[in-house]
PDB file of all heavy atoms in Angstrom:
ATOM      1  N   PHE A  96     -13.811 137.583 -19.942  1.00  0.00           N
ATOM      2  CA  PHE A  96     -12.759 136.627 -19.671  1.00  0.00           C
ATOM      3  C   PHE A  96     -13.097 135.744 -18.449  1.00  0.00           C
ATOM      4  O   PHE A  96     -12.963 134.540 -18.507  1.00  0.00           O
ATOM      5  CB  PHE A  96     -11.401 137.361 -19.438  1.00  0.00           C
ATOM      6  CG  PHE A  96     -10.300 136.490 -18.921  1.00  0.00           C
ATOM      7  CD1 PHE A  96      -9.620 135.661 -19.811  1.00  0.00           C
ATOM      8  CD2 PHE A  96     -10.022 136.436 -17.579  1.00  0.00           C
ATOM      9  CE1 PHE A  96      -8.590 134.852 -19.290  1.00  0.00           C
ATOM     10  CE2 PHE A  96      -9.028 135.661 -17.105  1.00  0.00           C
ATOM     11  CZ  PHE A  96      -8.254 134.841 -17.980  1.00  0.00           C
ATOM     12  N   PHE A  97     -13.493 136.356 -17.368  1.00  0.00           N
ATOM     13  CA  PHE A  97     -13.849 135.597 -16.177  1.00  0.00           C
ATOM     14  C   PHE A  97     -15.110 134.721 -16.365  1.00  0.00           C
ATOM     15  O   PHE A  97     -15.203 133.660 -15.815  1.00  0.00           O
ATOM     16  CB  PHE A  97     -14.035 136.572 -14.985  1.00  0.00           C
ATOM     17  CG  PHE A  97     -12.730 137.090 -14.453  1.00  0.00           C
ATOM     18  CD1 PHE A  97     -12.403 138.424 -14.633  1.00  0.00           C
ATOM     19  CD2 PHE A  97     -11.870 136.267 -13.787  1.00  0.00           C
ATOM     20  CE1 PHE A  97     -11.216 138.919 -14.186  1.00  0.00           C
ATOM     21  CE2 PHE A  97     -10.682 136.779 -13.269  1.00  0.00           C
ATOM     22  CZ  PHE A  97     -10.330 138.069 -13.502  1.00  0.00           C
ATOM     23  N   GLU A  98     -16.057 135.213 -17.139  1.00  0.00           N
ATOM     24  CA  GLU A  98     -17.209 134.420 -17.453  1.00  0.00           C
ATOM     25  C   GLU A  98     -16.804 133.162 -18.203  1.00  0.00           C
ATOM     26  O   GLU A  98     -17.346 132.062 -17.963  1.00  0.00           O
ATOM     27  CB  GLU A  98     -18.248 135.188 -18.207  1.00  0.00           C
ATOM     28  CG  GLU A  98     -18.969 136.281 -17.365  1.00  0.00           C
ATOM     29  CD  GLU A  98     -19.705 137.270 -18.176  1.00  0.00           C
ATOM     30  OE1 GLU A  98     -19.585 137.270 -19.428  1.00  0.00           O
ATOM     31  OE2 GLU A  98     -20.360 138.125 -17.559  1.00  0.00           O
ATOM     32  N   ASP A  99     -15.871 133.299 -19.203  1.00  0.00           N
ATOM     33  CA  ASP A  99     -15.400 132.125 -19.933  1.00  0.00           C
ATOM     34  C   ASP A  99     -14.641 131.172 -19.005  1.00  0.00           C
ATOM     35  O   ASP A  99     -14.778 129.922 -19.097  1.00  0.00           O
ATOM     36  CB  ASP A  99     -14.444 132.568 -21.024  1.00  0.00           C
ATOM     37  CG  ASP A  99     -15.201 133.295 -22.155  1.00  0.00           C
ATOM     38  OD1 ASP A  99     -16.442 133.147 -22.236  1.00  0.00           O
ATOM     39  OD2 ASP A  99     -14.541 134.079 -22.916  1.00  0.00           O
ATOM     40  N   GLU A 100     -13.899 131.741 -17.992  1.00  0.00           N
ATOM     41  CA  GLU A 100     -13.231 130.874 -17.045  1.00  0.00           C
ATOM     42  C   GLU A 100     -14.187 130.091 -16.197  1.00  0.00           C
ATOM     43  O   GLU A 100     -13.955 128.883 -15.930  1.00  0.00           O
ATOM     44  CB  GLU A 100     -12.379 131.773 -16.116  1.00  0.00           C
ATOM     45  CG  GLU A 100     -11.103 132.322 -16.760  1.00  0.00           C
ATOM     46  CD  GLU A 100      -9.974 131.261 -16.798  1.00  0.00           C
ATOM     47  OE1 GLU A 100      -9.683 130.677 -15.809  1.00  0.00           O
ATOM     48  OE2 GLU A 100      -9.418 131.116 -17.913  1.00  0.00           O
ATOM     49  N   VAL A 101     -15.315 130.732 -15.796  1.00  0.00           N
ATOM     50  CA  VAL A 101     -16.344 130.045 -15.008  1.00  0.00           C
ATOM     51  C   VAL A 101     -16.965 128.925 -15.841  1.00  0.00           C
ATOM     52  O   VAL A 101     -17.195 127.796 -15.314  1.00  0.00           O
ATOM     53  CB  VAL A 101     -17.422 131.038 -14.580  1.00  0.00           C
ATOM     54  CG1 VAL A 101     -18.581 130.283 -13.914  1.00  0.00           C
ATOM     55  CG2 VAL A 101     -16.756 131.967 -13.546  1.00  0.00           C
ATOM     56  N   ASP A 102     -17.208 129.202 -17.145  1.00  0.00           N
ATOM     57  CA  ASP A 102     -17.807 128.198 -18.008  1.00  0.00           C
ATOM     58  C   ASP A 102     -16.877 126.947 -18.115  1.00  0.00           C
ATOM     59  O   ASP A 102     -17.321 125.815 -18.075  1.00  0.00           O
ATOM     60  CB  ASP A 102     -18.062 128.767 -19.368  1.00  0.00           C
ATOM     61  CG  ASP A 102     -19.209 129.779 -19.345  1.00  0.00           C
ATOM     62  OD1 ASP A 102     -19.963 129.765 -18.394  1.00  0.00           O
ATOM     63  OD2 ASP A 102     -19.314 130.586 -20.284  1.00  0.00           O
ATOM     64  N   GLN A 103     -15.565 127.213 -18.273  1.00  0.00           N
ATOM     65  CA  GLN A 103     -14.641 126.096 -18.422  1.00  0.00           C
ATOM     66  C   GLN A 103     -14.519 125.318 -17.116  1.00  0.00           C
ATOM     67  O   GLN A 103     -14.457 124.073 -17.148  1.00  0.00           O
ATOM     68  CB  GLN A 103     -13.244 126.664 -18.812  1.00  0.00           C
ATOM     69  CG  GLN A 103     -13.217 127.278 -20.181  1.00  0.00           C
ATOM     70  CD  GLN A 103     -11.864 127.941 -20.539  1.00  0.00           C
ATOM     71  OE1 GLN A 103     -10.930 127.814 -19.758  1.00  0.00           O
ATOM     72  NE2 GLN A 103     -11.800 128.620 -21.632  1.00  0.00           N
ATOM     73  N   GLN A 104     -14.478 125.959 -15.988  1.00  0.00           N
ATOM     74  CA  GLN A 104     -14.395 125.239 -14.718  1.00  0.00           C
ATOM     75  C   GLN A 104     -15.667 124.485 -14.435  1.00  0.00           C
ATOM     76  O   GLN A 104     -15.643 123.390 -13.881  1.00  0.00           O
ATOM     77  CB  GLN A 104     -14.123 126.215 -13.586  1.00  0.00           C
ATOM     78  CG  GLN A 104     -12.696 126.764 -13.576  1.00  0.00           C
ATOM     79  CD  GLN A 104     -12.306 127.417 -12.263  1.00  0.00           C
ATOM     80  OE1 GLN A 104     -12.957 127.237 -11.271  1.00  0.00           O
ATOM     81  NE2 GLN A 104     -11.174 128.104 -12.242  1.00  0.00           N
ATOM     82  N   LEU A 105     -16.835 125.016 -14.843  1.00  0.00           N
ATOM     83  CA  LEU A 105     -18.060 124.282 -14.628  1.00  0.00           C
ATOM     84  C   LEU A 105     -18.078 123.048 -15.520  1.00  0.00           C
ATOM     85  O   LEU A 105     -18.613 121.969 -15.065  1.00  0.00           O
ATOM     86  CB  LEU A 105     -19.289 125.164 -14.941  1.00  0.00           C
ATOM     87  CG  LEU A 105     -19.599 126.225 -13.962  1.00  0.00           C
ATOM     88  CD1 LEU A 105     -20.764 127.119 -14.468  1.00  0.00           C
ATOM     89  CD2 LEU A 105     -19.995 125.646 -12.629  1.00  0.00           C
ATOM     90  N   ALA A 106     -17.518 123.145 -16.704  1.00  0.00           N
ATOM     91  CA  ALA A 106     -17.474 121.971 -17.599  1.00  0.00           C
ATOM     92  C   ALA A 106     -16.605 120.870 -17.001  1.00  0.00           C
ATOM     93  O   ALA A 106     -16.934 119.670 -17.150  1.00  0.00           O
ATOM     94  CB  ALA A 106     -16.990 122.391 -19.013  1.00  0.00           C
ATOM     95  N   SER A 107     -15.504 121.283 -16.348  1.00  0.00           N
ATOM     96  CA  SER A 107     -14.590 120.264 -15.789  1.00  0.00           C
ATOM     97  C   SER A 107     -15.046 119.835 -14.383  1.00  0.00           C
ATOM     98  O   SER A 107     -14.536 118.821 -13.904  1.00  0.00           O
ATOM     99  CB  SER A 107     -13.185 120.838 -15.729  1.00  0.00           C
ATOM    100  OG  SER A 107     -13.124 121.947 -14.869  1.00  0.00           O
ATOM    101  N   LEU A 108     -15.921 120.590 -13.767  1.00  0.00           N
ATOM    102  CA  LEU A 108     -16.336 120.279 -12.427  1.00  0.00           C
ATOM    103  C   LEU A 108     -17.064 118.895 -12.364  1.00  0.00           C
ATOM    104  O   LEU A 108     -16.864 118.122 -11.450  1.00  0.00           O
ATOM    105  CB  LEU A 108     -17.233 121.368 -11.866  1.00  0.00           C
ATOM    106  CG  LEU A 108     -17.686 121.238 -10.417  1.00  0.00           C
ATOM    107  CD1 LEU A 108     -16.460 121.206  -9.480  1.00  0.00           C
ATOM    108  CD2 LEU A 108     -18.629 122.349 -10.048  1.00  0.00           C
ATOM    109  N   ALA A 109     -17.968 118.666 -13.367  1.00  0.00           N
ATOM    110  CA  ALA A 109     -18.751 117.447 -13.367  1.00  0.00           C
ATOM    111  C   ALA A 109     -17.818 116.238 -13.536  1.00  0.00           C
ATOM    112  O   ALA A 109     -17.936 115.239 -12.817  1.00  0.00           O
ATOM    113  CB  ALA A 109     -19.752 117.456 -14.527  1.00  0.00           C
ATOM    114  N   SER A 110     -16.864 116.334 -14.435  1.00  0.00           N
ATOM    115  CA  SER A 110     -15.892 115.207 -14.601  1.00  0.00           C
ATOM    116  C   SER A 110     -15.003 115.009 -13.402  1.00  0.00           C
ATOM    117  O   SER A 110     -14.501 113.898 -13.171  1.00  0.00           O
ATOM    118  CB  SER A 110     -15.041 115.465 -15.859  1.00  0.00           C
ATOM    119  OG  SER A 110     -14.296 116.679 -15.707  1.00  0.00           O
ATOM    120  N   LEU A 111     -14.768 116.084 -12.616  1.00  0.00           N
ATOM    121  CA  LEU A 111     -13.974 115.976 -11.395  1.00  0.00           C
ATOM    122  C   LEU A 111     -14.765 115.382 -10.215  1.00  0.00           C
ATOM    123  O   LEU A 111     -14.264 114.599  -9.439  1.00  0.00           O
ATOM    124  CB  LEU A 111     -13.380 117.313 -11.028  1.00  0.00           C
ATOM    125  CG  LEU A 111     -12.504 117.380  -9.820  1.00  0.00           C
ATOM    126  CD1 LEU A 111     -11.230 116.570  -9.995  1.00  0.00           C
ATOM    127  CD2 LEU A 111     -12.163 118.840  -9.445  1.00  0.00           C
ATOM    128  N   LEU A 112     -16.052 115.803 -10.101  1.00  0.00           N
ATOM    129  CA  LEU A 112     -16.837 115.383  -8.972  1.00  0.00           C
ATOM    130  C   LEU A 112     -17.351 113.974  -9.101  1.00  0.00           C
ATOM    131  O   LEU A 112     -17.508 113.238  -8.084  1.00  0.00           O
ATOM    132  CB  LEU A 112     -18.002 116.368  -8.739  1.00  0.00           C
ATOM    133  CG  LEU A 112     -17.628 117.713  -8.162  1.00  0.00           C
ATOM    134  CD1 LEU A 112     -18.899 118.596  -8.067  1.00  0.00           C
ATOM    135  CD2 LEU A 112     -17.012 117.555  -6.786  1.00  0.00           C
ATOM    136  N   GLU A 113     -17.695 113.537 -10.347  1.00  0.00           N
ATOM    137  CA  GLU A 113     -18.330 112.236 -10.536  1.00  0.00           C
ATOM    138  C   GLU A 113     -17.496 111.086  -9.984  1.00  0.00           C
ATOM    139  O   GLU A 113     -17.986 110.287  -9.215  1.00  0.00           O
ATOM    140  CB  GLU A 113     -18.657 112.068 -11.995  1.00  0.00           C
ATOM    141  CG  GLU A 113     -19.433 110.817 -12.260  1.00  0.00           C
ATOM    142  CD  GLU A 113     -19.949 110.728 -13.679  1.00  0.00           C
ATOM    143  OE1 GLU A 113     -19.678 111.692 -14.484  1.00  0.00           O
ATOM    144  OE2 GLU A 113     -20.592 109.744 -14.067  1.00  0.00           O
ATOM    145  N   PRO A 114     -16.192 110.991 -10.351  1.00  0.00           N
ATOM    146  CA  PRO A 114     -15.409 109.872  -9.797  1.00  0.00           C
ATOM    147  C   PRO A 114     -15.245 109.974  -8.274  1.00  0.00           C
ATOM    148  O   PRO A 114     -15.202 108.894  -7.566  1.00  0.00           O
ATOM    149  CB  PRO A 114     -14.036 109.961 -10.496  1.00  0.00           C
ATOM    150  CG  PRO A 114     -14.006 111.326 -11.018  1.00  0.00           C
ATOM    151  CD  PRO A 114     -15.395 111.750 -11.310  1.00  0.00           C
ATOM    152  N   PHE A 115     -15.116 111.199  -7.735  1.00  0.00           N
ATOM    153  CA  PHE A 115     -14.977 111.380  -6.315  1.00  0.00           C
ATOM    154  C   PHE A 115     -16.211 110.870  -5.586  1.00  0.00           C
ATOM    155  O   PHE A 115     -16.126 110.211  -4.547  1.00  0.00           O
ATOM    156  CB  PHE A 115     -14.684 112.880  -6.012  1.00  0.00           C
ATOM    157  CG  PHE A 115     -14.667 113.141  -4.566  1.00  0.00           C
ATOM    158  CD1 PHE A 115     -13.556 112.842  -3.760  1.00  0.00           C
ATOM    159  CD2 PHE A 115     -15.736 113.763  -3.938  1.00  0.00           C
ATOM    160  CE1 PHE A 115     -13.526 113.133  -2.422  1.00  0.00           C
ATOM    161  CE2 PHE A 115     -15.696 114.078  -2.575  1.00  0.00           C
ATOM    162  CZ  PHE A 115     -14.582 113.748  -1.813  1.00  0.00           C
ATOM    163  N   ILE A 116     -17.400 111.260  -6.081  1.00  0.00           N
ATOM    164  CA  ILE A 116     -18.646 110.832  -5.445  1.00  0.00           C
ATOM    165  C   ILE A 116     -18.786 109.311  -5.533  1.00  0.00           C
ATOM    166  O   ILE A 116     -19.212 108.658  -4.615  1.00  0.00           O
ATOM    167  CB  ILE A 116     -19.840 111.551  -6.118  1.00  0.00           C
ATOM    168  CG1 ILE A 116     -19.779 113.049  -5.809  1.00  0.00           C
ATOM    169  CG2 ILE A 116     -21.169 110.972  -5.627  1.00  0.00           C
ATOM    170  CD1 ILE A 116     -20.844 113.847  -6.520  1.00  0.00           C
ATOM    171  N   ILE A 117     -18.481 108.739  -6.723  1.00  0.00           N
ATOM    172  CA  ILE A 117     -18.639 107.294  -6.848  1.00  0.00           C
ATOM    173  C   ILE A 117     -17.703 106.505  -5.969  1.00  0.00           C
ATOM    174  O   ILE A 117     -18.077 105.555  -5.280  1.00  0.00           O
ATOM    175  CB  ILE A 117     -18.329 106.910  -8.321  1.00  0.00           C
ATOM    176  CG1 ILE A 117     -19.428 107.437  -9.259  1.00  0.00           C
ATOM    177  CG2 ILE A 117     -18.221 105.394  -8.505  1.00  0.00           C
ATOM    178  CD1 ILE A 117     -19.212 107.223 -10.716  1.00  0.00           C
ATOM    179  N   VAL A 118     -16.460 106.973  -5.773  1.00  0.00           N
ATOM    180  CA  VAL A 118     -15.507 106.330  -4.869  1.00  0.00           C
ATOM    181  C   VAL A 118     -15.973 106.451  -3.417  1.00  0.00           C
ATOM    182  O   VAL A 118     -15.923 105.479  -2.663  1.00  0.00           O
ATOM    183  CB  VAL A 118     -14.077 106.959  -5.050  1.00  0.00           C
ATOM    184  CG1 VAL A 118     -13.165 106.430  -3.953  1.00  0.00           C
ATOM    185  CG2 VAL A 118     -13.535 106.555  -6.392  1.00  0.00           C
ATOM    186  N   THR A 119     -16.471 107.637  -3.022  1.00  0.00           N
ATOM    187  CA  THR A 119     -16.900 107.823  -1.696  1.00  0.00           C
ATOM    188  C   THR A 119     -18.092 106.964  -1.401  1.00  0.00           C
ATOM    189  O   THR A 119     -18.120 106.256  -0.299  1.00  0.00           O
ATOM    190  CB  THR A 119     -17.263 109.307  -1.413  1.00  0.00           C
ATOM    191  OG1 THR A 119     -16.136 110.107  -1.705  1.00  0.00           O
ATOM    192  CG2 THR A 119     -17.660 109.519  -0.016  1.00  0.00           C
ATOM    193  N   LEU A 120     -19.082 106.934  -2.226  1.00  0.00           N
ATOM    194  CA  LEU A 120     -20.273 106.112  -2.015  1.00  0.00           C
ATOM    195  C   LEU A 120     -19.884 104.626  -2.091  1.00  0.00           C
ATOM    196  O   LEU A 120     -20.507 103.803  -1.339  1.00  0.00           O
ATOM    197  CB  LEU A 120     -21.326 106.444  -3.029  1.00  0.00           C
ATOM    198  CG  LEU A 120     -21.905 107.868  -3.004  1.00  0.00           C
ATOM    199  CD1 LEU A 120     -22.958 108.087  -4.042  1.00  0.00           C
ATOM    200  CD2 LEU A 120     -22.456 108.163  -1.604  1.00  0.00           C
ATOM    201  N   GLY A 121     -18.985 104.261  -2.961  1.00  0.00           N
ATOM    202  CA  GLY A 121     -18.553 102.899  -3.041  1.00  0.00           C
ATOM    203  C   GLY A 121     -17.905 102.408  -1.774  1.00  0.00           C
ATOM    204  O   GLY A 121     -18.152 101.298  -1.303  1.00  0.00           O
ATOM    205  N   VAL A 122     -17.083 103.252  -1.149  1.00  0.00           N
ATOM    206  CA  VAL A 122     -16.439 102.917   0.119  1.00  0.00           C
ATOM    207  C   VAL A 122     -17.502 102.734   1.200  1.00  0.00           C
ATOM    208  O   VAL A 122     -17.458 101.765   1.988  1.00  0.00           O
ATOM    209  CB  VAL A 122     -15.386 103.938   0.454  1.00  0.00           C
ATOM    210  CG1 VAL A 122     -14.903 103.709   1.886  1.00  0.00           C
ATOM    211  CG2 VAL A 122     -14.240 103.889  -0.519  1.00  0.00           C
ATOM    212  N   LEU A 123     -18.452 103.683   1.292  1.00  0.00           N
ATOM    213  CA  LEU A 123     -19.452 103.651   2.360  1.00  0.00           C
ATOM    214  C   LEU A 123     -20.364 102.408   2.203  1.00  0.00           C
ATOM    215  O   LEU A 123     -20.491 101.576   3.121  1.00  0.00           O
ATOM    216  CB  LEU A 123     -20.243 104.934   2.349  1.00  0.00           C
ATOM    217  CG  LEU A 123     -19.511 106.183   2.802  1.00  0.00           C
ATOM    218  CD1 LEU A 123     -20.344 107.442   2.688  1.00  0.00           C
ATOM    219  CD2 LEU A 123     -18.976 106.033   4.248  1.00  0.00           C
ATOM    220  N   ILE A 124     -21.022 102.367   1.071  1.00  0.00           N
ATOM    221  CA  ILE A 124     -22.023 101.274   0.881  1.00  0.00           C
ATOM    222  C   ILE A 124     -21.307  99.891   0.738  1.00  0.00           C
ATOM    223  O   ILE A 124     -21.758  98.911   1.296  1.00  0.00           O
ATOM    224  CB  ILE A 124     -22.896 101.577  -0.400  1.00  0.00           C
ATOM    225  CG1 ILE A 124     -23.670 102.874  -0.104  1.00  0.00           C
ATOM    226  CG2 ILE A 124     -23.831 100.425  -0.615  1.00  0.00           C
ATOM    227  CD1 ILE A 124     -24.543 103.248  -1.286  1.00  0.00           C
ATOM    228  N   GLY A 125     -20.189  99.911   0.011  1.00  0.00           N
ATOM    229  CA  GLY A 125     -19.408  98.646  -0.137  1.00  0.00           C
ATOM    230  C   GLY A 125     -18.885  98.166   1.232  1.00  0.00           C
ATOM    231  O   GLY A 125     -18.859  96.948   1.529  1.00  0.00           O
ATOM    232  N   GLY A 126     -18.457  99.120   2.056  1.00  0.00           N
ATOM    233  CA  GLY A 126     -17.974  98.760   3.402  1.00  0.00           C
ATOM    234  C   GLY A 126     -19.103  98.126   4.225  1.00  0.00           C
ATOM    235  O   GLY A 126     -18.817  97.118   4.963  1.00  0.00           O
ATOM    236  N   ILE A 127     -20.325  98.642   4.116  1.00  0.00           N
ATOM    237  CA  ILE A 127     -21.398  98.063   4.871  1.00  0.00           C
ATOM    238  C   ILE A 127     -21.738  96.631   4.351  1.00  0.00           C
ATOM    239  O   ILE A 127     -21.910  95.725   5.125  1.00  0.00           O
ATOM    240  CB  ILE A 127     -22.649  98.967   4.720  1.00  0.00           C
ATOM    241  CG1 ILE A 127     -22.443 100.313   5.455  1.00  0.00           C
ATOM    242  CG2 ILE A 127     -23.913  98.262   5.306  1.00  0.00           C
ATOM    243  CD1 ILE A 127     -23.578 101.303   5.249  1.00  0.00           C
ATOM    244  N   VAL A 128     -21.685  96.485   3.035  1.00  0.00           N
ATOM    245  CA  VAL A 128     -21.996  95.138   2.462  1.00  0.00           C
ATOM    246  C   VAL A 128     -20.919  94.161   2.939  1.00  0.00           C
ATOM    247  O   VAL A 128     -21.245  92.991   3.325  1.00  0.00           O
ATOM    248  CB  VAL A 128     -22.065  95.244   0.926  1.00  0.00           C
ATOM    249  CG1 VAL A 128     -22.177  93.881   0.331  1.00  0.00           C
ATOM    250  CG2 VAL A 128     -23.291  96.145   0.561  1.00  0.00           C
TER     251      VAL A 128
END
């Protein structure tokens, strides 16, 4: 059960981190520009 929970959270982790990373980098690099 816990292994399945880890698999599901890992699958959603990428979709959660990608917009956060893009927004953060956009603010930093865009702010410099």
